[in-house]
Amino acid sequence: MKSRTQRHADAETRRGMFARYLGLPISLSPRRRVISFNSSAVILFIAALTLSAYFATNPTGAQSPQRRSGAHSGSTPEAFTVADRRLVERAIGAACTERVRDPLGSMPIDEMQARPSLSVRHPDAVAGWRRAERLLPATRTLVANTIVQLAKEYDLYGNTVTRARISAANARVEAVRRVKPDVEARDNASVLLRDPHTIEFGTIFLSGLRSDEAMISVLAHELTHIASGQSDALRPLFRAIARRAVLRTGLRIQGQRAEELACDLVGVIAARRFIKQTASWEPLPRRLARALEHNCVDDDASDEDHLSPRNTIRALLSLETDLAGELVADGSATMFSILPPSTPARSVVLTASTRRS
Ligand SMILES: [Zn+2]
């Protein structure tokens, strides 16, 4: 994803997700227990992956790679193995292959960039805008929960000061009220930090994200910029995430790149939470891939503020190896995500709710 910071003459600060790294200076873009139809198969598959990773890099078993169990990929960066790296590369291929097969697959941002401008009245732009507005309330909640989850995971939630900072960030997220379609913004989305109640969304970008999963990942990205706000309240978290990504990928992730990557990370985690809260007949890998597909570019350019799109996917999946494992899993084995019995009513509302017409 792309985003860019623009400082205008009036000291406005914009953050955004850019469909294109080079070019226009526009700023624009919970984990819950999953119960799958065949969750035991998934668990066995992940267990097999874990074991193979262990023995591939540690045939003698002399050291423990300390892969974590359960929902999270993250807290032991030293555990990232050669097998993990291979898994990430396979998952990138799987996600981008799925994009081509999926009728709701996202348009890659390099294709978006090449498109002519799109009227706000174009049916595809209208559909995208309605999707964004419908999903905004649920995405606010997903983002708030994801930020708390990440703050705990990166040890930035341990005292009253850090908790107050996260709480204030999430209050900013809750205050975002609308999505504004914009022709000129084209393939970008952005927020204005001085007045952070609206996400401006280019009409090409609105039309190119054809699934709820993709839309949530982009809305969550923008909401995370707003969460950090003009005070850069989440900078410690952004830096911690970037440090781990650097350890796992060797990519250069400094300055604004750290924030953009962290916003993308919140986006994919929020989308994954949404997927696991909402019932669907669609294969789990297909739904998960949608959170990443706009980065499946041919023209893989980077700039100072952004990793290239494909390196963005690489960094995200290196941070979330559980997600990488789910992307390469056999879709037929994970066909049905269903709501766990204990899921609160709010999750049901996410599914049933808010379709606007
Ligand atoms: Zn951004």
Side-chain angles (χ1 to χ4, degrees):
M1 305 251 350
K2 2 343 313 319
S3 319
R4 186 168 302 231
T5 303
Q6 184 181 22
R7 296 190 184 274
H8 298 271
D10 62 353
E12 290 177 344
T13 301
R14 268 179 191 273
R15 295 275 193 278
M17 173 174 296
F18 282 75
R20 184 74 176 175
Y21 299 2
L22 306 171
L24 296 176
I26 308 172
S27 85
L28 274 223
S29 178
R31 212 172 282 258
R32 185 170 296 256
R33 197 160 94 85
V34 182
I35 296 187
S36 296
F37 177 70
N38 192 346
S39 58
S40 59
V42 180
I43 291 164
L44 283 172
F45 180 75
I46 293 171
L49 279 178
T50 304
L51 281 173
S52 64
Y54 181 84
F55 286 107
T57 57
N58 242 335
T60 65
Q63 296 176 341
S64 168
Q66 296 290 312
R67 284 186 56 111
R68 94 267 131 222
S69 61
H72 226 282
S73 311
S75 50
T76 53
E78 69 280 5
F80 197 70
T81 65
V82 172
D84 287 326
R85 195 160 288 124
R86 280 195 219 107
L87 170 63
V88 166
E89 295 304 315
R90 284 174 55 216
I92 294 170
C96 291
T97 300
E98 190 60 40
R99 186 195 74 76
V100 179
R101 293 195 292 236
D102 182 2
L104 301 183
S106 301
M107 185 183 296
I109 52 180
D110 57 342
E111 282 186 35
M112 291 186 198
Q113 224 264 332
R115 308 275 292 191
S117 294
L118 201 62
S119 160
V120 292
R121 294 189 183 84
H122 189 284
D124 292 346
V126 171
W129 173 71
R130 285 179 174 161
R131 182 190 305 282
E133 289 257 299
R134 169 171 59 85
L135 292 169
L136 179 60
T139 308
R140 287 195 303 256
T141 302
L142 291 164
V143 167
N145 291 339
T146 300
I147 288 173
V148 170
Q149 171 199 316
L150 287 169
K152 289 177 179 173
E153 182 185 339
Y154 286 83
D155 297 325
L156 294 166
Y157 202 66
N159 59 53
T160 52
V161 173
T162 54
R163 289 181 190 211
R165 185 181 299 151
I166 298 297
S167 178
N170 284 342
R172 286 188 284 274
V173 170
E174 277 304 312
V176 178
R177 281 288 166 264
R178 62 184 287 246
V179 175
K180 180 184 170 195
D182 185 69
V183 174
E184 298 300 316
R186 289 180 50 81
D187 45 353
N188 305 299
S190 70
V191 294
L192 192 60
L193 297 183
R194 185 175 53 77
D195 183 25
H197 305 290
T198 302
I199 298 172
E200 294 183 17
F201 222 120
T203 47
I204 294 173
F205 210 5
L206 283 171
S207 71
L209 302 172
R210 303 180 182 112
S211 65
D212 288 2
E213 294 84 358
M215 184 59 73
I216 285 171
S217 75
V218 172
L219 289 173
H221 177 114
E222 296 304 326
L223 290 173
T224 307
H225 282 307
I226 287 175
S228 193
Q230 286 186 304
S231 62
D232 284 334
L234 298 184
R235 181 180 291 182
L237 178 61
F238 297 160
R239 286 180 170 170
I241 290 167
R243 274 196 297 274
R244 185 175 299 173
V246 168
L247 280 175
R248 294 183 173 195
T249 64
L251 294 167
R252 190 181 68 80
I253 310 170
Q254 299 169 329
Q256 187 62 23
R257 282 187 173 190
E259 176 165 344
E260 299 302 336
L261 176 64
C263 291
D264 282 332
L265 182 64
V266 173
V268 296
I269 293 175
R272 187 174 183 231
R273 281 179 172 249
F274 169 78
I275 290 164
K276 298 193 173 184
Q277 291 173 356
T278 52
S280 172
W281 293 97
E282 296 179 299
L284 179 61
R286 168 165 288 187
R287 298 186 73 194
L288 291 168
R290 292 170 180 163
L292 299 164
E293 286 166 349
H294 53 283
N295 289 309
C296 293
V297 296
D298 291 326
D299 180 10
D300 196 29
S302 64
D303 67 18
E304 188 173 338
D305 290 346
H306 308 82
L307 294 169
S308 76
R310 284 181 177 270
N311 274 339
T312 295
I313 307 180
R314 186 165 285 114
L316 293 172
L317 294 180
S318 298
L319 291 167
E320 294 291 313
T321 50
D322 287 349
L323 173 59
E326 290 172 340
L327 282 165
V328 301
D330 177 1
S332 64
T334 56
M335 188 89 175
F336 312 101
S337 352
I338 60 174
L339 294 171
S342 59
T343 298
R346 183 177 57 75
S347 301
V348 178
V349 172
L350 284 180
T351 323
S353 65
T354 44
R355 177 150 214 123
R356 299 166 59 137
S357 55

